[in-house]
Amino acid sequence: MAVAKEMMGSSSFVSSSKVFLNSTYGFQQKQNRFLFVKPVWVPMEQKRRVHLRKAAKVPVVAAISEDLIKAKAKAVPAQKEKAVEFKVTATITIRNKNKEDFKETLVKHFDAFTDMIGRNVVLELISTEEDPKTMAPKRSKEAVLKDWSKKANVKAEKVYYTAEFTVDSNFGVPGAITVTNKHQKEFFLESITIEDFAYGPLHFPCNSWVQSNKHHPGKRIFFTNQPYLPDQTPKGLRALREKELDDLRGNGKGVRKLSDRVYDFDVYNDLGNPDKGIDYARPMLGGEKVPYPRRCRTGRGPSETDMEAESRVEKPLPIYVPRDEQFEESKQNAFSAGRLRAVLHNLLPQLKASISAHNRDLNSFSDIDGLYKEGLLLKLGFHETVKKLPKMVSKLQESSEGLLKYETPKVVSKDKFAWLRDDEFGRQALAGVNPVNIERLASFPPVSKLDPEIYGPQESALKEEHIAGQLNGMTIQQALDENKLFMVDYHDIYLPFLDRINALDGRKSYATRTIFFLTPSGTLKPVAIELSLPHTSPNSRSKRVVTPPVDATTNWIWQLAKAHVCSNDAGVHQLVNHWLRTHACMEPFILAAHRQLSAMHPIFKLLDPHMRYTLEINALARQSLISADGVIENCFTPGRYCMEMSAAAYRSHWRFDKEGLPADLIRRGIAVPDPTQPHGLKLLIEDYPYASDGLLIWNALENWVRTYVNRYYPNSSLVCNDRELQQWYHESVHVGHADLSKESWWPSLKTTDDLVSILTTLIWLASAQHAALNFGQYPYGGYVPNRPPLMRRLIPDENDLEYANFLADPQKYFLSALPSLLQATKFMAVVDTLSTHSPDEEYLGERQHPSIWSGDAEIVEAFFGFSAEIRRIEKEIEKRNADPNLKNRCGAGVLPYELLAPSSGPGVTCRGVPNSVSI
C-alpha cells in the first residue's frame, strides 16, 4: 500500500486514449498513457473557481515516468495480498431554503430530533466493478450523514456534511452512490465529493431533490461525473443505469404528485375549462385532427363536462412538473415578484368592478406617457382606494405611489417619436423583437397558397403602379433581380381566422403583406402594405393597398396600416415564433432526453444546461398565459383562437430541418451559400443584426458541438449503435412530435454530422433563438403604439360612417383603435415579466460547477475554449454597435442590437442569451 501511494501520489491524474480537440479552441493532438491500472477521469484543479468571462488557464497535469513505475513495481513481492479495509470521506453539499413556512420549520426540527435516534440519511458507495462471487455490484458498508441535528439551524445557503465509507482495497473505482432519506422532509442535494482514494477526488454532481423514504420508498441513485456511452458502461453500473431510467419514465398511469420525478407525454387538453361554461371550452391540441407537439403529462382526471378535457388546476395551486424541473428558490422569488403576479392576481380581481367602468380608450399620447411617470392607479384615480383595500399585499401598499408605474421602454428612451418613422418600422423587421419573418420577394406580385375555393383568388391586389416610383429609379424586375425587394407576409396565416376574429367583441384585424425596398444605405423602406379581409363574394373588395403618404389624411391612414401590420406581427411573434418554435417544440426533446438518456450519457451532459426550467415555464404558461381567458387571449387580436392559430402554423409551416439559423435564412431567401464565409453563408441584407450576430453564435455552437460529438463518436457506427441516443431521437419524433412524425423532412440520425446538426439546432433554439425573440418584448412592446398586440378598429374608407369622425380627429381615432388603457397595462405587465432575467440565470458559455460538470478533463477544457469564443463574440457585437456604417444598429437615437449579446445582469436589459428557455 505504501508503494502504491508513493506511485500514485496525491495529485489528480487524467487518462485518455486521444486528445480529440480540433484547432478551433487551440488544442493539439497527443497521446497519453494510463497512469494506473483502474483509470478514472478526474478533473484537474478541482478546487479552482473559474468565472467563465475570464480566460481559462490550461492546467498542468502531473505525470510519472514509466521507468519509475516499473522500478516501484519490481520492489513489490509477487504475492497475492489479502484485501484490507480502509475508510474514505465524503463531503455532501446540501442547499438550504432561504425562507421556510411554519410547517416546514416544524418538520425540520422534528427531523433533527429523529436523526439522533436513527432516522437519518444513509449513503452507500457502489463500485464500477462486479463482485465475481455474487455478480452484483460491489458495495461499501452503509454510511450515515453526520451532524444533521447539530447543523439544523445553520442559516447559510449551503451546508456541508460528511459521511465515512468503509471499503476494501479490492473495491475498485466508485461509480455511483445511493442515498436514502429517512427524514420527513425533502432536501436539495447539490453534490457529493469523495476524498481519500489514491487517484484523487471523485465528484458526483447531483442537483436534485431527495424525497423522504416514507413517501418515495427506495434509494436514489447518483452517478459520478464520468461520461459513458451505454455499451461502455462498467458492469457494476449497468443495472443501476437501467433502473434510474425506468424510474424516470414511470408507468404512464395515475395522477402525478408534486414530489414525483416522472417524465411522460400528453396532448394539450388542459387549456380550456368546460366546467365553467362553453365560452371556456377549447379544442384539444395534439392528434390527427389538430396536430401539435406533446407536453408533460400530469395524469389529472377529466373535467366533469368533457371526458377528453383534463381538469384544471388554477393559480395559486401549483401544476405538476417533475420535482427537479421546478424553479429554484431565487428564480421563483424573482418570477413571483414580477408585475405579472401583482397585476393579475392581487390587484385586478379586487378592483374589477370599479375599474371596468374605467376600461376606457387612450385619449391622448400623454395617457401613455403617464404610465411611465405616474402609474395606472393615479391615471384612474384609484391611488387612495388601494391603500384602503383589505388583504392587499404589503408590497402594493409600499409602492402604491408607483403602482403599475413602468420603466420607459428602450424604443422611446432615446427618440420618443422614432416609432412613427418608416425607417424605424423597417429597422425593426431586421433588428427588433421579431426579426425572423422578413423574406426576399422572389416574384411580383406575391401569390397566396390558400385554397381559392375557400379563401378567394390567390392573386395579390398589389400592382406595379403601387411601388414603381419608389425603387430608386429601378424597374420592379431590376429590383427583383438585384435582391432589393423584401416582404413580411402574414396573409396566409391570418386570413383563415379573420371571420372569427372580427366577430369577437373589440377585435378587428386584416391579413397583411408589407413590401420593403432595400435602400443603398442598407436600410429597409416600406413601399406598400396590402390589407386583406375574407372574400365574401366575387365582386367584394376584400383587398386594399396602402402606400406611403402624400398628405395629412393619407399619413394617418398609413400609420393605421402600419399599426395593423405590427399587430399581425405581434401575434405571429408570440404564438408561432416564440411560443411554438422555442417553447412547445422543445418540450418533447427535453421529455425524451430525461426518459431515454442516462445522466451518465455524454449527450445528456451536453444538453443538460439547455433544458433548465423549460418544463416549468411551459406548465405555468398552460396554467395562466395560453389558457382559455388567459393573458394571451386577452391581450392579442386572435383572442380565443390564439392557440388554434399556433396549431395551424405547426401543421403548415414548422419543419425541424429548417429551424437551424443557416437553413432558416436560406429558406427565407435572405442568404445564399458561400463557402468562403466561416459560417458558409452570404447575407443578401448585409446589415441584418439578428442574422449577422446570430451566425457568429451559431458557428461557435456548431464548433463546440462538433468537438464534443467527435470525442465520443469517432465514427458513425457508434451513433447508429448507441441505443439510448437512438431511442431519444425516435421518441422525440414519433411520440413528442407524433402528428408530424411521418413527414419526410425529419433529419435522419445515422452519422456524426447528423448528430452535430440536430444538437446544434436544439441548443440554438433553446438559447440564442429564444433570447432574440423574448428579451426585447418589453423594450419594444412596452410602448404599445409601437407594437399594438391587438387592434379594435379597421381603417375607414370614404364610404364608412366612421370616416367623418376619422377626418375630424384622426389622433383620437388612431388611439381608439389601439388597446384600451387597461388592456395596454395588462399587456405591459406581462411582457415586463417575460423580459426579465432572474438573478440565477445561466448564460451561454456558463455552467454550474464549470470545472467538474464532466469527468472528462479535456472536454472541460474544450468548454472553457467555447466560453472564450462567446466572450470574443460579445466584443465583436459591441464593435458592430459602434459602427456608423451599420445604420440598423447605430445612429442618432437608434437602439444598438444587443439581444444576442451573451451576457446580462438581472432585470429587463434587452440583452443576454441564457442557456435555456427559462422564462
Side-chain angles (χ1 to χ4, degrees), residues 636-791:
F636 289 86
T637 299
R640 63 177 295 149
Y641 307 109
C642 280
M643 291 308 293
E644 290 181 63
M645 184 178 285
S646 179
Y650 178 68
R651 184 202 293 259
S652 60
H653 291 91
W654 187 82
R655 287 180 52 161
F656 182 75
D657 64 324
K658 303 297 184 184
E659 287 297 283
L661 179 60
D664 178 54
L665 293 172
I666 291 171
R667 170 175 61 176
R668 292 190 279 123
I670 297 290
V672 293
D674 183 352
T676 66
Q677 298 294 322
H679 37 68
L681 291 181
K682 176 186 177 182
L683 292 173
L684 298 183
I685 303 176
E686 291 184 15
D687 184 11
Y688 184 1
Y690 159 77
S692 55
D693 292 0
L695 285 170
L696 293 177
I697 292 178
W698 174 272
N699 198 45
L701 285 173
E702 188 175 47
N703 286 335
W704 157 238
V705 171
R706 189 175 301 281
T707 295
Y708 193 95
V709 166
N710 286 343
R711 170 67 180 102
Y712 300 105
Y713 301 94
N715 60 73
S716 293
S717 65
L718 291 171
V719 173
C720 294
N721 295 325
D722 184 337
R723 63 183 183 278
E724 285 186 10
L725 184 72
Q726 293 295 332
Q727 286 166 356
W728 162 69
Y729 188 57
H730 183 273
E731 187 170 75
S732 298
V733 174
H734 291 274
V735 180
H737 288 277
D739 306 328
L740 299 183
S741 62
K742 295 180 181 178
E743 298 292 339
S744 60
W745 44 253
W746 279 103
S748 60
L749 181 52
K750 297 178 180 177
T751 68
T752 52
D753 284 344
D754 293 340
L755 182 56
V756 169
S757 176
I758 290 166
L759 293 173
T760 305
T761 297
L762 290 173
I763 295 172
W764 162 260
L765 289 172
S767 57
Q769 180 78 331
H770 178 259
L773 294 167
N774 185 73
F775 294 103
Q777 290 192 80
Y778 185 80
Y780 281 98
Y783 189 74
V784 169
N786 181 57
R787 284 178 62 79
L790 64 84
M791 294 292 285

Side-chain angles (χ1 to χ4, degrees), residues 12 98 138 166 196 276 290 303 419 630 716 754 855 861 878:
S12 299
N98 291 323
K138 295 178 181 177
T166 300
D196 301 325
K276 289 178 68 174
V290 187
S303 66
W419 66 277
S716 293
D754 293 340
E861 288 307 311
E878 291 173 5

Side-chain angles (χ1 to χ4, degrees), residues 463-480:
K463 305 296 181 187
E464 189 168 338
E465 57 265 26
H466 289 129
I467 65 171
Q470 305 181 65
L471 307 181
N472 259 30
M474 290 185 179
T475 66
I476 289 179
Q477 193 56 50
Q478 284 177 317
L480 289 171

Side-chain angles (χ1 to χ4, degrees), residues 65 114 216 320 336 339 383 394 436 513 521 580 636 685 687:
S65 72
T114 57
H216 290 266
Y320 172 77
S336 298
R339 289 193 175 98
H383 180 254
S394 58
V436 298
R513 285 193 184 103
S521 63
L580 172 67
F636 289 86
I685 303 176
D687 184 11

